[in-house]
Structure formats: structure tokens, C-alpha cells
Amino acid sequence: MHLSQYYNSFIIYNILLIIFFSLTVNGVPLFPILNIICYSIFHFLIIYLGIYYYRKKLYLIYFLYGLGLDLFWINEIGPHLITFMFALSIFYLTFKYLNNLRKLNIYLMLLMTQITMILFEMFISQMMFGFSFNLSYFLKIALLSIIFSYPIFIIFSKIDRVI
Amino acid sequence: MLSKNRFTSATKKKTFSGVYLSVLFVLTFLLISFNKTDYYIANKIKHVGIDIISPITKIISSPVTIVTNIGLRLNNIRYLEGENLKLKQEIIRLKKWQTLAIKNTGENRVFKRLLNSTSNEIEIIKTASVINQTTNLYVNAITINAGLEHKVKEDLAVINEKGLVGKTITSSNQNSKVLLINDQNSSVPVKNLSDKSYSIVRGTANGKYLISAFIKDETLPKVGDLLVTSGNAKIFPRDILVGKVILVREDDYLAIPYVDFKNLGYVQVIKSK
């Protein structure tokens, strides 16, 4: 019963994931902010999936999206792939402790995880490939994440409830 | 018997999931290490990946692109009348220039023949359309629909009607990735048209401007000076418009690129003849 209930929303989240991934990698040059917003929402969504819909096939999904983001955003393989794979392993080890948390705390944890993941990606890309750490860009992403994450979280909660 | 079967099935499932996870993690590390060590395999993976993902993402994001383009077109219609007037004046001005250019071309041809000089014209390898643009904190690049099948390989200059766009960094059979000149990792040797001084420019962190990375003989340009490719690097043919100096500081300068990177529709891959 529970599995069938989650199965449908899992598919919806995956459709959303591919849409946001496409918008992230296919930039609209006239509105670069759209690109950053989609990048931020994509991260939030992938964390949400990892925490609420953890299953083994997510490793493959994380692997493919990590590789895809690396190929399109950096043209090198590494930062997103390694961050995504390790993040999912960490979610697996910790998500049993999240059941006791309240909704707001879970939201804050998701937001913090998202910002930390983006920060890690930037650090890894700096260490591995020498991309300079752009603080203003990071702050922009963090700010957009804060603005967009709560409405997105509410929408996701609604999707979970309805489907 | 039933419980034994169940136990065997559960054990098999557990083994499979263990192997599956191990394979994925091993693959992750292999890909990362190949990217650092084996240029050929890493490039092959990048080419195949981009060739597969690019059309899919393009189709999925096309509604957004269409809506954006419609919005832009509607916005353009609002200013149509004013632009028409401006264009009429521009046509008159350009006609005068055209007459002068035709006259100069004829003269040039005669002088070249007299001097017995070799031509420095460029060879257009392929005109391609931009199928994907990546403008983010890591890289400023575009993907074009021309690749090895069209004789487009790595390290070729890419231009459009306004000037230098960038250089090809990877090429698959159908597509190529072009690093734009406004990327922080790009490096373009330029010549100042007014005093013939040489320098190297690269993109700024926000991708809006070009900043000098090296100035030969520390000869700083003046605001308004035009920068063209010097031809010192074999990749970029000489005398292609790069940018205009807008700010000169104590030991570097900022220039604004001629190319509008937000409106890249078609580009040409070129090389020196």
C-alpha cells in the first residue's frame, strides 16, 4: 500500500528532476538567473528524494545526474558525481534519525544540506580542477535557495499528500 | 522448503544490491581517476555523454526556450517603430561605408599584387548553430552542432559576425564544445590597434568583461582602444575583433567584448589559411 503510494510520487519527482536538470544545463542566456534557480531547485529536489524516497535505484539516478552535471557544467568529471554519491550514502546512514524531527526542522536540515552540498561541489572543483571559488556566486545561490526552498518544500509536501 | 527458497532469494537479492552499489562506487572513482589521468578515455566519455544528453535536455527545455523567445519577440515589437527609424539612418550611414569599402578593397587588391604579399585571409571550416549554452560559476561555454564529421576539431577559433567568440575545447562526431573568451580560463593574445602593443586577456569572474592577464612591455592602453587578435597563438588568426578597452588601472585593464554572449545563434569555426 505504502509502496504503491510512494511509487507514483517517486515518478513525479523523477519527471521534475529531469525537467530541472534540462533547464539547468540548457541555460537561457537572456535570463541567467533562471539557470541558477533551476540549479538550486535541482539540488533541493535530489536531496528530498534521497531522504524521503531512499531506495537502491537512487544510487544509479544520483550517479547519472552527477555525471551529467559534471559534463555540462564543468566539462570535467568529479565534483557533482562524488558529492551526490557520498550524500546519498550519508542520507542512508542518517535518515532513520530524521523521523523524530518536526516539519520545520526537516526543512531547515534540507536547506542546510543543499547549501553544504553546493559548497562542497565548489571546493572539490577548486581542489581538483583549479576553478576559482566565486564567493558572490555562492552567496547568490545560497540566497536563491533560501528564497525558493520553502515554497518548493510546501509543494512537495502537497504532492506527497495528494498522490 | 518455502522458507528455504525465501532465504535463498533474500540472500541473492542482498548480494545483487551489494554488487550493484560496489560497481557504482568503483565506477565513480574510475571515472574520476580517468578524468585526471587518461585523456583519451575521459574525452570519449565526455563526447558520448554530451552527444546523448544534449538532444534530450534540449527537447525537455524547449517549452521554456520558446516562451522566452516569444516574450523577447513581444518586447521587441514594442520598440519596433523607434528601431525602424534608427535602422533607416544606419542604412544611409552604412551605404556610405560600403562605397568606401568597395573602393578600398579594389585598392587593397592592387597594392597586394604590387607588394607580392601573401593573404592572411581566414578559412571557414563550418558554420554551426549553438545548441546549448552553459553560463555558470564554473565555465562559460557553448555547444555547437558541428564536430569531427565536419572537420571541426580541438583548438580552432570560433567567431561570429561581431568578432571572436572562443575556441573549441572538445569535439565529438556531431558536436563541439566552445570555451568562450569571457571564461576565466580562456586566454587570448591581443594587439592594441592604436599603439600596436601586445597583451593577453581572459574573462572576469562574472563573465561580463575581459581583463588583461599579461601586458608586454607594460604598455597600458587608453580607454576606447580597440583590441584585435595578435595572431601570436596559433589558434586565433590575426586581426579578429576582440573587445574595446573601458577601464585602465595601475597594472591591468578591463575591456568589453564585442560579441554579445547572450545572443549567440550561429557561429563560424575558422582557421588561418
Side-chain angles (χ1 to χ4, degrees):
Chain A
M1 178 68 192
H2 278 291
L3 188 71
S4 67
Q5 186 191 343
Y6 282 144
Y7 187 69
N8 287 330
S9 38
F10 184 69
I11 289 175
I12 286 178
Y13 285 126
N14 272 292
I15 293 168
L16 287 175
L17 206 56
I18 198 162
I19 290 170
F20 283 112
F21 173 77
S22 303
L23 290 171
T24 304
V25 298
N26 264 306
V28 182
L30 287 167
F31 304 104
I33 197 135
L34 185 74
N35 219 214
I36 309 171
I37 292 168
C38 291
Y39 183 70
S40 150
I41 295 174
F42 175 82
H43 273 80
F44 192 81
L45 181 52
I46 212 157
I47 296 164
Y48 192 88
L49 264 178
I51 287 173
Y52 283 103
Y53 295 87
Y54 178 83
R55 54 198 68 185
K56 291 274 159 51
K57 67 175 93 157
L58 267 182
Y59 280 98
L60 184 66
I61 292 170
Y62 270 54
F63 176 83
L64 293 174
Y65 282 116
L67 187 63
L69 266 187
D70 277 342
L71 289 180
F72 275 88
W73 267 59
I74 309 181
N75 203 36
E76 304 282 359
I77 302 168
H80 289 94
L81 183 60
I82 204 161
T83 313
F84 283 11
M85 294 305 277
F86 275 106
L88 191 57
S89 309
I90 294 166
F91 296 156
Y92 171 64
L93 295 172
T94 54
F95 80 112
K96 56 188 167 212
Y97 303 111
L98 302 175
N99 291 334
N100 307 324
L101 292 177
R102 281 186 303 161
K103 196 177 168 184
L104 186 70
N105 290 346
I106 292 179
Y107 159 72
L108 288 174
M109 198 222 55
L110 283 170
L111 181 65
M112 289 312 291
T113 313
Q114 182 193 350
I115 293 171
T116 316
M117 262 175 88
I118 294 170
L119 190 69
F120 265 105
E121 284 157 11
M122 288 176 79
F123 270 129
I124 294 171
S125 58
Q126 188 187 24
M127 282 191 298
M128 286 177 76
F129 306 109
F131 287 105
S132 58
F133 186 87
N134 192 335
L135 185 67
S136 68
Y137 211 105
F138 171 72
L139 291 176
K140 203 191 269 180
I141 294 180
L143 187 69
L144 286 169
S145 302
I146 293 165
I147 294 168
F148 283 94
S149 56
Y150 196 69
I152 294 286
F153 182 68
I154 299 290
I155 292 166
F156 288 174
S157 307
K158 286 244 157 51
I159 292 174
D160 288 339
R161 225 173 293 150
V162 173
I163 300 162
Chain B
M1 184 68 184
L2 191 70
S3 66
K4 197 183 171 188
N5 275 349
R6 258 188 209 164
F7 177 73
T8 322
S9 150
T11 320
K12 270 185 186 170
K13 216 173 174 183
K14 214 172 178 181
T15 319
F16 171 75
S17 92
V19 171
Y20 156 76
L21 290 185
S22 312
V23 166
L24 275 183
F25 273 94
V26 169
L27 207 59
T28 303
F29 284 106
L30 275 179
L31 282 174
I32 293 165
S33 56
F34 278 150
N35 189 55
K36 282 297 226 183
T37 54
D38 196 316
Y39 182 75
Y40 179 77
I41 295 177
N43 258 11
K44 201 84 191 159
I45 294 164
K46 284 176 193 171
H47 296 162
V48 174
I50 288 170
D51 277 351
I52 294 170
I53 302 168
S54 215
I56 301 168
T57 56
K58 202 171 164 58
I59 291 167
I60 295 169
S61 61
S62 58
V64 176
T65 318
I66 291 166
V67 170
T68 318
N69 287 341
I70 290 170
L72 197 71
R73 203 161 280 181
L74 288 174
N75 201 32
N76 283 344
I77 288 169
R78 281 172 56 203
Y79 302 107
L80 211 60
E81 204 177 327
E83 273 184 6
N84 251 344
L85 263 172
K86 271 187 202 166
L87 283 172
K88 274 179 188 168
Q89 287 166 351
E90 186 77 7
I91 287 169
I92 297 166
R93 198 176 66 82
L94 285 174
K95 271 187 178 163
K96 284 179 193 166
W97 277 104
Q98 193 190 22
T99 320
L100 193 68
I102 291 166
K103 195 181 145 205
N104 283 346
T105 313
E107 273 180 10
N108 254 342
R109 212 177 294 133
V110 174
F111 286 139
K112 269 183 184 170
R113 225 174 285 149
L114 282 172
L115 290 166
N116 198 19
S117 77
T118 50
S119 168
N120 65 347
E121 283 169 24
I122 51 174
E123 184 189 335
I124 296 167
I125 297 171
K126 178 79 183 162
T127 302
S129 69
V130 177
I131 55 169
N132 179 290
Q133 184 157 1
T134 316
T135 310
N136 56 51
L137 71 163
Y138 298 107
V139 70
N140 284 324
I142 53 170
T143 311
I144 56 170
N145 63 351
L148 294 169
E149 281 181 6
H150 312 96
K151 293 178 185 168
V152 175
K153 47 189 184 182
E154 285 166 31
D155 289 336
L156 288 172
V158 178
I159 60 166
N160 74 355
E161 74 282 0
K162 287 182 179 166
L164 188 66
V165 174
K167 66 165 185 173
T168 53
I169 47 169
T170 52
S171 287
S172 63
N173 285 338
Q174 295 291 331
N175 304 314
S176 299
K177 203 153 203 174
V178 178
L179 186 73
L180 303 178
I181 56 166
N182 63 345
D183 186 274
Q184 280 188 89
N185 295 315
S186 80
S187 172
V188 184
V190 292
K191 184 174 72 179
N192 184 343
L193 267 186
S194 59
D195 62 2
K196 310 282 183 237
S197 60
Y198 292 89
S199 49
I200 293 175
V201 291
R202 60 176 174 80
T204 52
N206 59 14
K208 285 182 183 167
Y209 307 103
L210 304 172
I211 188 166
S212 59
F214 168 75
I215 305 171
K216 197 181 173 192
D217 302 329
E218 293 174 5
T219 323
L220 285 165
K222 289 192 282 292
V223 172
D225 281 356
L226 301 181
L227 304 173
V228 293
T229 49
S230 65
N232 289 346
K234 284 178 184 168
I235 302 168
F236 305 110
R238 58 188 294 183
D239 294 334
I240 299 170
L241 273 174
V242 176
K244 188 177 179 181
V245 178
I246 54 159
L247 177 72
V248 181
R249 293 187 291 220
E250 216 167 282
D251 34 274
D252 61 3
Y253 65 84
L254 279 183
I256 190 155
Y258 268 105
V259 173
D260 179 9
F261 293 105
K262 287 180 179 172
N263 285 309
L264 288 174
Y266 291 89
V267 292
Q268 288 180 315
V269 184
I270 56 157
K271 67 172 183 182
S272 297
K273 250 183 182 173

